[in-house]
């Protein structure tokens, strides 16, 4: 649900929007986090093609992308941590989706 549709739903139901329930968007995050999501989308995936298992992103070009997106040297470790957190969550979600798909067949 987008923020816009949430507000429309609240208006239609005649309720006040709850700040805790308003969906967040990428623009709600600090600039560094937004840049990390952009960099993450650029990095190529690594898959075990034999088993169809997601392994990780290929981080070989990450420092070139940090330079391209002007990530300060002081923020590099934080940016790497953010990217690893994003990747860990994506790997978990993909694994869960594959488990659900295999249990339904």
């Amino acid at each position: 649900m987008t923020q816009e549709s949430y507000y429309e739903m609240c208006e239609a139901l005649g309720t006040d929007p709850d700040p805790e329930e308003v969906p967040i968007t990428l623009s709600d995050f600090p600039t560094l986090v937004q840049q990390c999501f952009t960099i993450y989308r650029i990095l190529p995936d690594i898959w075990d093609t034999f088993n169809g298992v997601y392994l990780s992103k290929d981080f070989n070009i990450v420092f070139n992308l940090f330079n391209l997106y002007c990530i300060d040297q002081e923020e590099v470790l934080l940016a790497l941590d953010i990217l690893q957190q994003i990747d860990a969550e994506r790997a978990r979600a993909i694994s869960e989706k594959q488990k659900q798909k295999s249990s339904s067949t």
Side-chain angles (χ1 to χ4, degrees):
M1 176 179 282
T2 65
Q3 285 182 347
E4 184 178 305
S5 62
Y6 175 77
Y7 289 123
E8 288 173 2
M9 180 188 72
C10 289
E11 185 178 325
L13 296 173
T15 59
D16 292 330
D18 181 357
E20 296 291 320
E21 297 292 323
V22 177
I24 59 173
T25 64
L26 187 58
S27 64
D28 294 327
F29 290 101
T31 303
L32 179 62
V33 175
Q34 293 178 39
Q35 291 171 318
C36 286
F37 273 101
T38 300
I39 290 168
Y40 186 80
R41 284 191 297 271
I42 294 169
L43 294 172
D45 292 338
I46 301 173
W47 289 85
D48 175 354
T49 53
F50 185 71
N51 295 312
V53 175
Y54 175 76
L55 299 175
S56 179
K57 285 287 192 173
D58 182 352
F59 284 88
N60 284 325
I61 63 168
V62 75
F63 292 106
N64 294 338
L65 294 172
F66 286 166
N67 288 332
L68 182 66
Y69 284 92
C70 301
I71 306 291
D72 294 334
Q73 280 300 116
E74 301 86 42
E75 296 179 321
V76 166
L77 289 176
L78 178 58
L80 281 172
D81 187 47
I82 292 167
L83 289 169
Q84 289 174 335
Q85 293 294 325
I86 295 169
D87 196 48
E89 181 59 29
R90 180 167 181 239
R92 186 203 61 74
I94 290 171
S95 175
E96 185 65 32
K97 188 174 182 178
Q98 288 175 333
K99 285 178 187 174
Q100 289 176 354
K101 191 182 285 186
S102 67
S103 66
S104 67
T105 55

